[in-house]
Amino acid sequence: MSKTIVVKLGGSLVSPSNEKLFDFNYLKDLKKILLPLFDKGYKFFFILGGGSLMRMYRDQAREAGITKDNDLHWIGTTVNVLHAQIFRAFFSEFADEEIIKFEDYYQEGPINIEKFIKAGGGGRPGHSGDVDAVRVALKSNADYILSLKNIDYIYTADPKFFPEATPINQLNWDEYMEIIGNPSKHPPGGNFPVDPIASKMAKENKLKMIIISGWDIQNVENFLLDKEYKGSVIVD
């Protein structure tokens, strides 16, 4: 019996800075913990984010006079597709040849994995890859989404600006939306722990999301092996 897990791989992990626009060493570390799981029947959908490369193109596009949100979103979602292609190529021995992209998320019927991994890039503009991850989870009957971020928990407030903010182990979607200010849109390159549009979709479909630091590879492995881990669970 296979165990299918949808993973939203944050762009900050694969494209952490302008000095390192793609981090292949991170993929090597990830591969070490994934390979043993394939033998245990695990399969993974990885939905890739844009990170620094996306922000670089977005900012340069704005400086060049491209100001429409829809155009900027298309630039961002296409960078996510590039990252999915790189991810698929790196895991080519274990990954399906075709990636998920653009309108694939909106086709009728389920999305299946033939090998052990299927990679996904950006879908339609107007949101982040979190929405794409939600759509894949619904099409694959996944119980939850594992969101690997550059943060270790959801906090009561943004700890960058509020040092007194404390981590939250479990909360519901209404509580999460209140923390981020109940926004109705996701601006191009917006930086939320979970995209507000995806949050509303997850709430409507009673979908659980686990947010943990993707930098802590041992912690990621602990979660996947049902061991004690550090992170936040958002569930209704």
Side-chain angles (χ1 to χ4, degrees):
M1 180 71 70
S2 66
K3 183 175 183 180
T4 300
I5 299 176
V6 176
V7 183
K8 171 58 174 64
L9 186 55
S12 58
L13 302 176
V14 294
S15 181
S17 68
N18 286 353
E19 290 71 37
K20 186 178 287 186
L21 288 174
F22 199 90
D23 190 351
F24 283 96
N25 286 328
Y26 181 77
L27 296 192
K28 291 177 182 178
D29 290 338
L30 194 60
K31 189 174 185 178
K32 291 176 184 177
I33 67 170
L34 292 180
L35 291 185
L37 295 175
F38 298 155
D39 292 333
K40 297 179 182 291
Y42 283 71
K43 292 188 176 185
F44 296 88
F45 286 100
F46 274 91
I47 311 300
L48 278 290
S52 290
L53 182 62
M54 180 278 295
R55 288 188 289 274
M56 182 186 74
Y57 278 121
R58 177 202 62 192
D59 294 345
Q60 290 183 2
R62 281 174 173 163
E63 291 172 5
I66 299 174
T67 58
K68 293 181 180 179
D69 277 357
N70 196 59
D71 293 333
L72 293 168
H73 270 297
W74 271 121
I75 292 170
T77 200
T78 303
V79 171
N80 291 7
V81 171
L82 170 62
H83 285 168
Q85 289 285 16
I86 295 172
F87 187 91
R88 183 212 60 78
F90 183 84
F91 285 96
S92 59
E93 182 181 352
F94 309 98
D96 292 356
E97 187 172 348
E98 296 294 326
I99 69 166
I100 309 169
K101 61 186 185 301
F102 304 134
E103 290 299 309
D104 294 341
Y105 294 99
Y106 298 87
Q107 301 300 316
E108 294 292 333
I111 297 176
N112 299 312
I113 305 174
E114 299 301 324
K115 293 185 178 180
F116 299 103
I117 288 175
K118 187 178 285 289
R124 292 175 182 173
H127 53 72
S128 77
D130 291 336
V131 169
D132 304 325
V134 169
R135 295 195 68 85
V136 166
L138 296 176
K139 282 179 170 289
S140 60
N141 294 318
D143 295 327
Y144 61 84
I145 296 169
L146 175 61
S147 182
L148 303 184
K149 312 285 290 187
N150 61 354
I151 57 174
D152 52 357
Y153 289 94
I154 300 294
Y155 285 76
T156 53
D158 190 336
K160 294 179 183 176
F161 304 104
F162 301 93
E164 70 279 8
T166 56
I168 306 173
N169 291 313
Q170 183 167 318
L171 67 166
N172 62 41
W173 286 110
D174 286 336
E175 291 168 335
Y176 169 74
M177 287 295 290
E178 185 174 347
I179 289 172
I180 65 171
N182 289 298
S184 59
K185 296 182 179 180
H186 184 84
N191 188 20
F192 298 101
V194 183
D195 177 341
I197 298 174
S199 301
K200 293 173 183 176
M201 290 174 61
K203 174 180 168 59
E204 290 170 0
N205 290 281
K206 300 186 182 302
L207 187 61
K208 180 167 64 174
M209 190 174 291
I210 296 93
I211 290 88
I212 66 177
S213 170
W215 291 125
D216 188 344
I217 291 293
Q218 182 60 60
N219 192 48
V220 175
E221 183 177 37
N222 287 347
F223 172 83
L224 293 173
L225 294 176
D226 294 324
K227 296 181 179 180
E228 186 175 347
Y229 70 94
K230 297 180 294 183
S232 295
V233 178
I234 310 178
V235 61
D236 275 310

